[in-house]
Amino acid sequence: MQSPLPVRDGVNATRLRLPNEGRWDTAMDYMMHRWGHIDPQGIEDRFDAGEIVGEGGIPLNRTTRLEDHTFIWYYRTLPPETRLPVEISILHQDEHILVVDKPHFLPTTPGGTYIQESALVRLRNQLNLPDLIPMHRLDRMTAGVLLLSTNPETRGKYQVLFEKRQVQKEYECVSAAEPAAGHNAVEFPAVVRNRMTKSRSYLLAEVVDGEPNAETRIDRLRTFDGGTGDGGTHDGGTTHRRALYRLEPHTGKTHQLRVHMASLGLGILNDAFYPEVLDKAPDDYSKPLQLLARGIRFVDPIRNQPVEYRSRLELSEARS
């Protein structure tokens, strides 16, 4: 549903669905019920200023009845954010798409404590592109190629490519050269297929019984010695071998690549979730997750020709 309010400071207006009935007489009563404990004066001020609107951009006031609107829109009061010490690089831009190198630690879209400090909001403000929308997502801890649409009129043509799985993605990661104890040896290239699920109430993705809905092709590109001080040297001064892997997902489940590598006993270096959840700690910018969206390719629906975009970033632990 199209918002009647424009993007402001790179952020979309928030949409709220009002209940059909309840103990609230007005829309403001309901908003006070939801958020009055946080900022009651701010809610009243927004209604008085006409900053809360219904469909068609109709301003609401303190007496607007609950049943008069199903959806309303408003701008949230955003808390101050400390700028993350990472930068986005532009790989390609035209009248239809924008392709960037997203750094580690920066989320793709606003959420939680990261609003202004998301790739989408940064780019909207930096490039003055309020209609910018990502065509896919990268986890906050994953770096690499991210494709965004700049033109609402042609956006659907690119969305169809993703819906029909006509976009080929290539990732790279660094992990151990051999599986952890308790796991079988792996012959490369390997294909991992299983059924994955993730609920909004649970942090991790899970592998469950059932028809596979996630598939990744994995190949080992080269091996090398892990350096001292990065977990590569253990008791007795033995240096553990690491490897650079190419990952080609045929599906796009949340945390799919991290789960599939961990299932082989090859958990990605600096992964705080898989194969086991580590204690929550502040971001360590010197130890990013060693996962990179290396490239993306497809037949451009506007130019009707194959295109490929490659990341210029390098994984910090991918020694040559």
Side-chain angles (χ1 to χ4, degrees):
M1 182 178 293
Q2 183 69 32
S3 171
L5 294 176
V7 170
R8 186 169 76 179
D9 296 329
V11 182
N12 294 87
T14 296
R15 186 182 75 177
L16 173 66
R17 184 186 183 102
L18 299 179
N20 294 327
E21 57 184 15
R23 63 180 186 273
W24 313 280
D25 294 326
T26 67
M28 191 178 82
D29 289 341
Y30 181 69
M31 289 196 72
M32 284 294 191
H33 165 73
R34 293 286 300 271
W35 296 291
H37 63 289
I38 298 175
D39 185 21
Q41 187 60 54
I43 293 174
E44 292 179 349
D45 291 345
R46 289 179 189 177
F47 275 99
D48 292 342
E51 293 182 351
I52 299 176
V53 305
E55 294 182 42
I58 300 172
L60 280 61
N61 57 46
R62 295 191 186 205
T63 63
T64 300
R65 295 177 304 170
L66 181 72
E67 63 268 22
D68 285 354
H69 295 274
T70 301
F71 293 99
I72 61 175
W73 288 262
Y74 62 96
Y75 295 112
R76 288 180 291 171
T77 299
L78 302 178
E81 295 179 56
T82 301
R83 186 175 176 87
L84 298 176
V86 294
E87 300 299 331
I88 307 172
S89 299
I90 295 175
L91 301 173
H92 171 84
Q93 183 177 1
D94 60 36
E95 64 271 32
H96 303 291
I97 60 173
L98 173 70
V99 187
V100 302
D101 251 343
K102 186 192 82 66
H104 293 103
F105 301 103
L106 187 70
T108 298
T109 54
T113 58
Y114 302 98
I115 306 298
Q116 295 290 334
E117 284 305 286
S118 63
L120 178 60
V121 175
R122 273 201 193 182
L123 290 166
R124 281 177 172 177
N125 291 329
Q126 175 186 334
L127 302 175
N128 192 26
L129 292 173
D131 291 325
L132 194 66
I133 292 292
M135 292 290 91
H136 60 114
R137 296 192 183 192
L138 296 178
D139 290 344
R140 186 172 81 88
M141 304 308 289
T142 303
V145 177
L146 178 66
L147 174 71
L148 305 98
S149 163
T150 62
N151 188 341
E153 294 183 3
T154 59
R155 182 166 299 151
K157 295 181 182 295
Y158 291 94
Q159 289 174 327
V160 167
L161 297 180
F162 286 90
E163 291 169 1
K164 293 186 175 181
R165 297 182 182 176
Q166 294 175 347
V167 177
Q168 288 75 50
K169 301 175 186 177
E170 177 189 340
Y171 290 73
E172 291 176 359
C173 75
V174 174
S175 182
E178 300 297 335
H183 291 266
N184 296 327
V186 181
E187 183 176 340
F188 296 101
V191 175
V192 178
R193 297 186 187 90
N194 54 27
R195 185 166 190 83
M196 291 180 54
T197 183
K198 186 179 184 302
S199 68
R200 294 188 177 183
S201 60
Y202 188 58
L203 181 67
L204 302 181
E206 297 179 282
V207 176
V208 297
D209 294 334
E211 185 71 20
N213 63 358
E215 179 178 327
T216 306
R217 184 182 187 276
I218 302 170
D219 204 0
R220 188 168 61 194
L221 300 179
R222 56 183 172 82
T223 61
F224 51 89
D225 289 336
T228 58
D230 67 352
T233 301
H234 297 272
D235 294 341
T238 301
T239 300
H240 282 205
R241 297 287 287 170
R242 300 212 183 278
L244 178 67
Y245 296 87
R246 178 191 294 122
L247 313 176
E248 296 175 326
H250 293 170
T251 53
K253 296 298 180 182
T254 300
H255 294 180
Q256 175 178 320
L257 301 179
R258 298 161 73 173
V259 170
H260 282 181
M261 287 297 291
S263 73
L264 297 177
L266 298 169
I268 298 173
L269 191 62
N270 298 336
D271 192 341
F273 285 1
Y274 308 95
E276 60 181 302
V277 180
L278 304 181
D279 292 337
K280 174 79 173 163
D283 288 337
D284 185 344
Y285 296 103
S286 69
K287 294 183 178 180
L289 176 71
Q290 294 299 287
L291 179 61
L292 173 68
R294 172 58 69 193
I296 189 171
R297 63 185 185 276
F298 54 89
V299 176
D300 190 284
I302 306 299
R303 290 181 280 173
N304 195 31
Q305 64 182 33
V307 295
E308 182 173 10
Y309 302 102
R310 306 284 292 177
S311 175
R312 298 171 186 161
L313 301 174
E314 297 295 338
L315 292 171
S316 57
E317 301 295 337
R319 295 180 176 84
S320 53

